[in-house]
Amino acid sequence: MKNDLKGMNLIIHGSLASGKSTLAKKLATYYEAIVLTTDRVIADVCAAYPASDTAVLIRKYVVRKKFESVKEESATSNASKNPSRRASGSKNASKQQQQQQ
């Protein structure tokens, strides 16, 4: 039965944390196949062609997303630690809006 899928590509998709990677690894083990993930393909392309426009754009995108994620986590953490600061910030914004009118 292992040779029944020779030459066939399987694409597994689903929502976040639904078990796609686990299923892919189990199928690959059973059918003696390899697993390609988009993350791995992108990393391999960036490593093979580090100066390419695509690799440069991908690196910039990844860095920006990591920065945004850290910035968002920091803002969420600060707001939960100091709720009065968040409230005063909104009061200041209201005052500025009133002054502009």
Side-chain angles (χ1 to χ4, degrees):
M1 182 167 184
K2 291 184 180 184
N3 291 331
D4 289 350
L5 291 180
K6 190 170 185 145
M8 180 180 282
N9 295 317
L10 296 175
I11 298 173
I12 301 170
H13 66 93
S15 58
L16 187 64
S18 62
K20 299 176 296 291
S21 295
T22 302
L23 176 61
K25 289 174 188 172
K26 288 182 180 184
L27 288 169
T29 300
Y30 181 79
Y31 288 108
E32 300 172 351
I34 62 169
V35 175
L36 293 176
T37 64
T38 52
D39 292 341
R40 181 58 192 243
V41 170
I42 290 169
D44 288 351
V45 168
C46 288
Y49 306 100
S52 71
D53 291 343
T54 302
V56 171
L57 289 173
I58 290 170
R59 275 193 222 92
K60 286 180 180 179
Y61 176 81
V62 169
V63 168
R64 186 177 73 236
K65 285 296 178 184
K66 284 183 180 179
F67 175 76
E68 288 173 359
S69 174
V70 169
K71 189 176 172 183
E72 186 177 295
E73 288 174 13
S74 176
T76 303
S77 176
N78 288 340
S80 64
K81 287 179 185 175
N82 192 356
S84 64
R85 183 176 176 187
R86 183 177 54 202
S88 67
S90 62
K91 288 178 185 176
N92 289 338
S94 296
K95 287 180 183 177
Q96 288 175 351
Q97 287 176 351
Q98 290 174 353
Q99 289 173 353
Q100 289 175 353
Q101 295 174 355

